[in-house]
Amino acid sequence: MKKPATSFSGYLAESPAQARAMLCEIRAAILAAAPTASETISYRMPAFAIDGQVVVWIGAFKSHLGFYPGATAIRTFRDGLKNYKTAKGSIQFPLRKPLPLDLIKAIVRFRCERLAGEATPSSRG
């Protein structure tokens, strides 16, 4: 059994060839929207975290890229996502179509804001 990737570059090397350029493109968009995010591997996929909290995950598949921002982001951006296959917390971007980079950046910024809000101490005693 192949050892799972431990870095983005390792994941990229193991990904389907047709997905590699788009993986780099989505990675750049995520880091542009969340410049303080660190890269890690979580659930065997590249993940981008701030202060130890994962903002989003990405994954490469034979015919699409998976983008995993969570259910709240999917609901919030549902109008912009109507041309993509979605599930509770995931979006599939077909490899044969350009990535919606502005939408991806908006979702990442939204996730960063949500995570920052969750990190704020509660006023309840």
Side-chain angles (χ1 to χ4, degrees):
M1 187 167 154
K2 201 175 201 179
K3 187 175 179 182
T6 58
S7 67
F8 181 84
S9 59
Y11 185 88
L12 188 66
E14 296 172 3
S15 296
Q18 65 272 25
R20 291 180 190 149
M22 288 181 80
L23 273 172
C24 292
E25 196 175 4
I26 197 169
R27 174 193 193 202
I30 292 165
L31 292 173
T36 62
S38 59
E39 296 177 312
T40 188
I41 298 291
S42 174
Y43 299 107
R44 294 183 173 221
M45 295 183 292
F48 300 83
I50 296 176
D51 295 329
Q53 294 184 298
V54 173
V55 178
V56 293
W57 291 262
I58 57 175
F61 300 92
K62 188 175 182 176
S63 62
H64 71 276
L65 287 187
F67 182 61
Y68 306 91
T72 302
I74 302 297
R75 285 192 305 274
T76 301
F77 290 89
R78 69 180 161 267
D79 290 342
L81 295 169
K82 62 186 170 198
N83 294 322
Y84 302 97
K85 184 176 180 181
T86 61
K88 184 177 179 181
S90 66
I91 306 161
Q92 290 184 9
F93 295 122
L95 296 181
R96 67 187 192 295
K97 295 172 103 179
L99 287 169
L101 297 175
D102 290 338
L103 178 60
I104 290 166
K105 289 176 187 175
I107 292 170
V108 171
R109 286 190 293 269
F110 170 81
R111 286 285 297 143
C112 290
E113 291 167 8
R114 296 281 299 192
L115 291 175
E118 290 173 8
T120 305
S122 172
S123 59
R124 292 180 275 160

